[in-house]
Amino acid sequence: MQDAAEVENKVFWALADPSRRAIFESLTRGEAAVKDLTERFDISQPAVSQHLATLRDAGLVDNRKEGRCVYYRINPKGLAPLVDWMSHYRAFWADRIDRLERLLENMDQ
Amino acid sequence: MKPIDTTPAGQNEFLSFDFELQHPPEKVWRALTNPVLLAEWLLPVIDYELVKGKTFTLKAPPMPGWDGLVHAKFLEIEKQSKLAYSWQVGELETVVTFELAATPVGTKVKLVQTGFKEHQKQNWGGARYGWRMMGEKLFTVLSTMREES
């Protein structure tokens, strides 16, 4: 079982990429096979598959196999961290602490 | 050093992070309280005057459903050791506290944000506020999905 912070990080990270976000948004129109998604976007099939694997690892999409095709669909529960205040701020502060450290490196004593 | 998320599992009232910085407390304090430096790492601040009881505003990029403003008020100021202010966005009213302790190599910082509990149920607001990488489109997606589920 992954802890909450780890799951949240995966969700935010997965959706931080514009291509993955586009694929994810595209799936909200309904279930789609990898080849459908490849046609919709100007990305190679291996790249689409890689993006889908990342989204799946973050719990944002589910898949099912039918014959030689793999179909992907949205997992609405995977969006929970996005509508949760604490996970929002957990990600916010992690990012800001990182920025604070970089700023301190560049500051005069 | 990576911040350690010290939020106890299972509770839903506060977030807590511990981290160590290789810089002395006076320098860290400056980064935490100087308006120009705050804009560099946290958010730009307006009417920022380091006086207990004074209010100020943090300004995030506006986005659909949010003007981008965080309303804050200084609650505790102990030079180079403790800084606390309220942090209010919409109906969410939290308190952010930084505690600094000198170490042989720099400063140990504890960052705590309290006051989530009552607002966790209104969690839809969380999606609207402040997550800068999310575009308008995703919010539309989220609102559609919420109606379906």
Side-chain angles (χ1 to χ4, degrees):
Chain A
M1 167 113 185
Q2 304 181 91
D3 71 22
E6 196 182 331
V7 172
E8 286 158 16
N9 284 342
K10 280 184 177 177
V11 170
F12 286 114
W13 188 74
L15 291 174
D17 181 273
S19 300
R20 275 198 294 277
R21 208 153 65 224
I23 291 169
F24 180 76
E25 283 166 0
S26 179
L27 285 172
T28 60
R29 288 193 257 151
E31 194 178 62
V34 177
K35 63 176 170 58
D36 302 330
L37 293 166
T38 307
E39 281 164 19
R40 277 180 215 169
F41 300 98
D42 193 17
I43 315 173
S44 71
Q45 182 162 330
V48 168
S49 294
Q50 188 56 50
H51 285 317
L52 287 166
T54 304
L55 289 167
R56 188 162 173 257
D57 187 45
L60 288 163
V61 301
D62 287 329
N63 65 1
R64 68 182 176 87
K65 218 172 168 182
E66 194 180 291
R68 287 165 61 192
C69 277
V70 183
Y71 291 87
Y72 282 84
R73 64 177 178 279
I74 296 287
N75 172 18
K77 284 183 189 152
L79 287 165
L82 286 182
V83 293
D84 182 286
W85 277 112
M86 284 182 79
S87 64
H88 161 77
Y89 276 107
R90 198 193 299 273
F92 174 83
W93 289 118
D95 172 65
R96 288 323 202 252
I97 291 167
D98 191 47
R99 283 166 67 155
L100 172 62
E101 291 193 89
R102 273 182 280 141
L103 170 75
L104 288 164
E105 287 301 325
N106 296 322
M107 265 170 73
D108 297 329
Q109 292 297 319
Chain B
M1 188 191 148
K2 277 222 150 203
I4 299 166
D5 187 340
T6 47
T7 309
Q11 67 82 34
N12 59 359
E13 194 173 356
F14 66 93
L15 287 174
S16 168
F17 300 93
D18 286 351
F19 51 101
E20 288 190 36
L21 300 165
Q22 313 293 315
H23 307 273
E26 48 274 30
K27 189 177 168 186
V28 175
W29 182 257
R30 204 145 43 92
L32 294 183
T33 57
N34 177 302
V36 176
L37 298 173
L38 280 170
E40 293 274 317
W41 73 272
L42 183 59
L43 289 170
V45 290
I46 303 163
D47 297 330
Y48 189 94
E49 196 185 344
L50 194 61
V51 176
K52 189 177 168 178
K54 288 256 183 189
T55 58
F56 63 100
T57 307
L58 298 107
K59 204 171 178 335
M63 54 182 58
W66 184 36
D67 56 11
L69 301 180
V70 178
H71 301 283
K73 181 181 179 177
F74 288 112
L75 303 174
E76 279 184 79
I77 304 166
E78 289 172 37
K79 200 177 179 189
Q80 294 174 21
S81 95
K82 189 173 184 182
L83 180 67
Y85 41 81
S86 61
W87 179 288
Q88 187 224 326
V89 173
E91 291 176 359
L92 178 78
E93 283 189 58
T94 58
V95 173
V96 173
T97 305
F98 295 90
E99 283 183 275
L100 279 52
T103 68
V105 292
T107 308
K108 193 173 170 226
V109 184
K110 187 171 190 68
L111 164 60
V112 179
Q113 186 176 18
T114 58
F116 288 103
K117 199 171 185 176
E118 292 170 28
H119 298 273
Q120 278 299 298
K121 285 192 179 123
Q122 305 166 354
N123 61 9
W124 179 237
R128 286 216 200 95
Y129 298 130
W131 189 255
R132 62 195 157 79
M133 73 183 190
M134 298 300 168
E136 185 172 358
K137 220 171 158 189
L138 183 60
F139 294 119
T140 313
V141 168
L142 287 163
S143 57
T144 315
M145 310 221 39
R146 192 196 184 205
E147 283 154 23
E148 284 168 3
S149 58

mmCIF file of all heavy atoms in Angstrom, chain B residues 61-76:
data_model
loop_
_atom_site.group_PDB
_atom_site.id
_atom_site.type_symbol
_atom_site.label_atom_id
_atom_site.label_comp_id
_atom_site.label_asym_id
_atom_site.label_seq_id
_atom_site.Cartn_x
_atom_site.Cartn_y
_atom_site.Cartn_z
ATOM 1 N N PRO B 61 -1.299 33.532 -8.930
ATOM 2 C CA PRO B 61 -1.933 33.840 -10.215
ATOM 3 C C PRO B 61 -3.433 33.548 -10.131
ATOM 4 O O PRO B 61 -3.822 32.489 -9.656
ATOM 5 C CB PRO B 61 -1.250 32.876 -11.192
ATOM 6 C CG PRO B 61 -0.002 32.431 -10.503
ATOM 7 C CD PRO B 61 -0.277 32.488 -9.044
ATOM 8 N N PRO B 62 -4.269 34.486 -10.579
ATOM 9 C CA PRO B 62 -5.717 34.234 -10.553
ATOM 10 C C PRO B 62 -6.073 33.074 -11.479
ATOM 11 O O PRO B 62 -5.359 32.808 -12.443
ATOM 12 C CB PRO B 62 -6.319 35.536 -11.101
ATOM 13 C CG PRO B 62 -5.229 36.527 -11.113
ATOM 14 C CD PRO B 62 -3.941 35.769 -11.188
ATOM 15 N N MET B 63 -7.135 32.389 -11.143
ATOM 16 C CA MET B 63 -7.594 31.307 -12.013
ATOM 17 C C MET B 63 -9.110 31.187 -11.896
ATOM 18 O O MET B 63 -9.703 31.832 -11.047
ATOM 19 C CB MET B 63 -6.897 30.007 -11.640
ATOM 20 C CG MET B 63 -7.015 29.598 -10.193
ATOM 21 S SD MET B 63 -6.107 28.097 -9.916
ATOM 22 C CE MET B 63 -4.459 28.596 -10.431
ATOM 23 N N PRO B 64 -9.713 30.408 -12.760
ATOM 24 C CA PRO B 64 -11.177 30.338 -12.733
ATOM 25 C C PRO B 64 -11.687 29.991 -11.335
ATOM 26 O O PRO B 64 -11.238 29.023 -10.741
ATOM 27 C CB PRO B 64 -11.493 29.200 -13.713
ATOM 28 C CG PRO B 64 -10.326 29.155 -14.622
ATOM 29 C CD PRO B 64 -9.137 29.537 -13.790
ATOM 30 N N GLY B 65 -12.551 30.802 -10.814
ATOM 31 C CA GLY B 65 -13.135 30.531 -9.510
ATOM 32 C C GLY B 65 -12.342 31.082 -8.340
ATOM 33 O O GLY B 65 -12.725 30.916 -7.190
ATOM 34 N N TRP B 66 -11.202 31.713 -8.615
ATOM 35 C CA TRP B 66 -10.386 32.238 -7.526
ATOM 36 C C TRP B 66 -9.628 33.473 -7.994
ATOM 37 O O TRP B 66 -9.003 33.450 -9.051
ATOM 38 C CB TRP B 66 -9.386 31.170 -7.042
ATOM 39 C CG TRP B 66 -8.568 31.594 -5.865
ATOM 40 C CD1 TRP B 66 -8.978 32.365 -4.811
ATOM 41 C CD2 TRP B 66 -7.189 31.284 -5.611
ATOM 42 N NE1 TRP B 66 -7.948 32.548 -3.914
ATOM 43 C CE2 TRP B 66 -6.843 31.888 -4.378
ATOM 44 C CE3 TRP B 66 -6.224 30.547 -6.305
ATOM 45 C CZ2 TRP B 66 -5.572 31.777 -3.833
ATOM 46 C CZ3 TRP B 66 -4.963 30.440 -5.753
ATOM 47 C CH2 TRP B 66 -4.643 31.045 -4.522
ATOM 48 N N ASP B 67 -9.686 34.535 -7.195
ATOM 49 C CA ASP B 67 -8.975 35.766 -7.563
ATOM 50 C C ASP B 67 -7.471 35.663 -7.298
ATOM 51 O O ASP B 67 -6.721 36.582 -7.604
ATOM 52 C CB ASP B 67 -9.565 36.969 -6.814
ATOM 53 C CG ASP B 67 -9.560 36.784 -5.299
ATOM 54 O OD1 ASP B 67 -8.925 35.825 -4.810
ATOM 55 O OD2 ASP B 67 -10.203 37.597 -4.605
ATOM 56 N N GLY B 68 -7.046 34.547 -6.717
ATOM 57 C CA GLY B 68 -5.624 34.336 -6.482
ATOM 58 C C GLY B 68 -5.114 34.912 -5.169
ATOM 59 O O GLY B 68 -3.926 34.832 -4.871
ATOM 60 N N LEU B 69 -6.011 35.484 -4.384
ATOM 61 C CA LEU B 69 -5.564 36.141 -3.151
ATOM 62 C C LEU B 69 -5.639 35.232 -1.927
ATOM 63 O O LEU B 69 -6.623 34.538 -1.706
ATOM 64 C CB LEU B 69 -6.400 37.400 -2.889
ATOM 65 C CG LEU B 69 -6.365 38.466 -3.989
ATOM 66 C CD1 LEU B 69 -7.220 39.654 -3.596
ATOM 67 C CD2 LEU B 69 -4.932 38.902 -4.284
ATOM 68 N N VAL B 70 -4.560 35.276 -1.144
ATOM 69 C CA VAL B 70 -4.528 34.613 0.159
ATOM 70 C C VAL B 70 -4.509 35.723 1.200
ATOM 71 O O VAL B 70 -3.636 36.600 1.158
ATOM 72 C CB VAL B 70 -3.264 33.739 0.321
ATOM 73 C CG1 VAL B 70 -3.246 33.101 1.711
ATOM 74 C CG2 VAL B 70 -3.172 32.677 -0.764
ATOM 75 N N HIS B 71 -5.467 35.731 2.103
ATOM 76 C CA HIS B 71 -5.538 36.775 3.125
ATOM 77 C C HIS B 71 -4.842 36.271 4.384
ATOM 78 O O HIS B 71 -5.130 35.176 4.862
ATOM 79 C CB HIS B 71 -6.991 37.144 3.396
ATOM 80 C CG HIS B 71 -7.680 37.627 2.152
ATOM 81 N ND1 HIS B 71 -7.487 38.897 1.646
ATOM 82 C CD2 HIS B 71 -8.497 36.999 1.281
ATOM 83 C CE1 HIS B 71 -8.180 39.023 0.518
ATOM 84 N NE2 HIS B 71 -8.809 37.888 0.275
ATOM 85 N N ALA B 72 -3.936 37.091 4.888
ATOM 86 C CA ALA B 72 -3.116 36.640 6.009
ATOM 87 C C ALA B 72 -3.023 37.707 7.096
ATOM 88 O O ALA B 72 -3.232 38.900 6.837
ATOM 89 C CB ALA B 72 -1.724 36.281 5.510
ATOM 90 N N LYS B 73 -2.699 37.243 8.300
ATOM 91 C CA LYS B 73 -2.553 38.159 9.435
ATOM 92 C C LYS B 73 -1.483 37.593 10.358
ATOM 93 O O LYS B 73 -1.507 36.399 10.693
ATOM 94 C CB LYS B 73 -3.890 38.240 10.174
ATOM 95 C CG LYS B 73 -3.888 39.182 11.360
ATOM 96 C CD LYS B 73 -5.279 39.146 12.006
ATOM 97 C CE LYS B 73 -5.344 40.049 13.216
ATOM 98 N NZ LYS B 73 -6.711 40.056 13.781
ATOM 99 N N PHE B 74 -0.549 38.443 10.766
ATOM 100 C CA PHE B 74 0.522 37.976 11.649
ATOM 101 C C PHE B 74 -0.030 37.631 13.027
ATOM 102 O O PHE B 74 -0.680 38.459 13.671
ATOM 103 C CB PHE B 74 1.608 39.045 11.802
ATOM 104 C CG PHE B 74 2.432 39.221 10.566
ATOM 105 C CD1 PHE B 74 2.357 40.382 9.820
ATOM 106 C CD2 PHE B 74 3.283 38.204 10.134
ATOM 107 C CE1 PHE B 74 3.109 40.544 8.666
ATOM 108 C CE2 PHE B 74 4.043 38.363 8.984
ATOM 109 C CZ PHE B 74 3.952 39.534 8.251
ATOM 110 N N LEU B 75 0.242 36.424 13.473
ATOM 111 C CA LEU B 75 -0.236 35.983 14.780
ATOM 112 C C LEU B 75 0.894 35.926 15.800
ATOM 113 O O LEU B 75 0.713 36.256 16.957
ATOM 114 C CB LEU B 75 -0.882 34.588 14.659
ATOM 115 C CG LEU B 75 -2.045 34.469 13.668
ATOM 116 C CD1 LEU B 75 -2.486 33.021 13.543
ATOM 117 C CD2 LEU B 75 -3.214 35.356 14.085
ATOM 118 N N GLU B 76 2.066 35.487 15.350
ATOM 119 C CA GLU B 76 3.215 35.390 16.263
ATOM 120 C C GLU B 76 4.490 35.741 15.509
ATOM 121 O O GLU B 76 4.714 35.242 14.404
ATOM 122 C CB GLU B 76 3.361 33.963 16.813
ATOM 123 C CG GLU B 76 2.431 33.648 17.965
ATOM 124 C CD GLU B 76 2.724 32.251 18.515
ATOM 125 O OE1 GLU B 76 3.699 32.108 19.280
ATOM 126 O OE2 GLU B 76 2.001 31.326 18.148
#
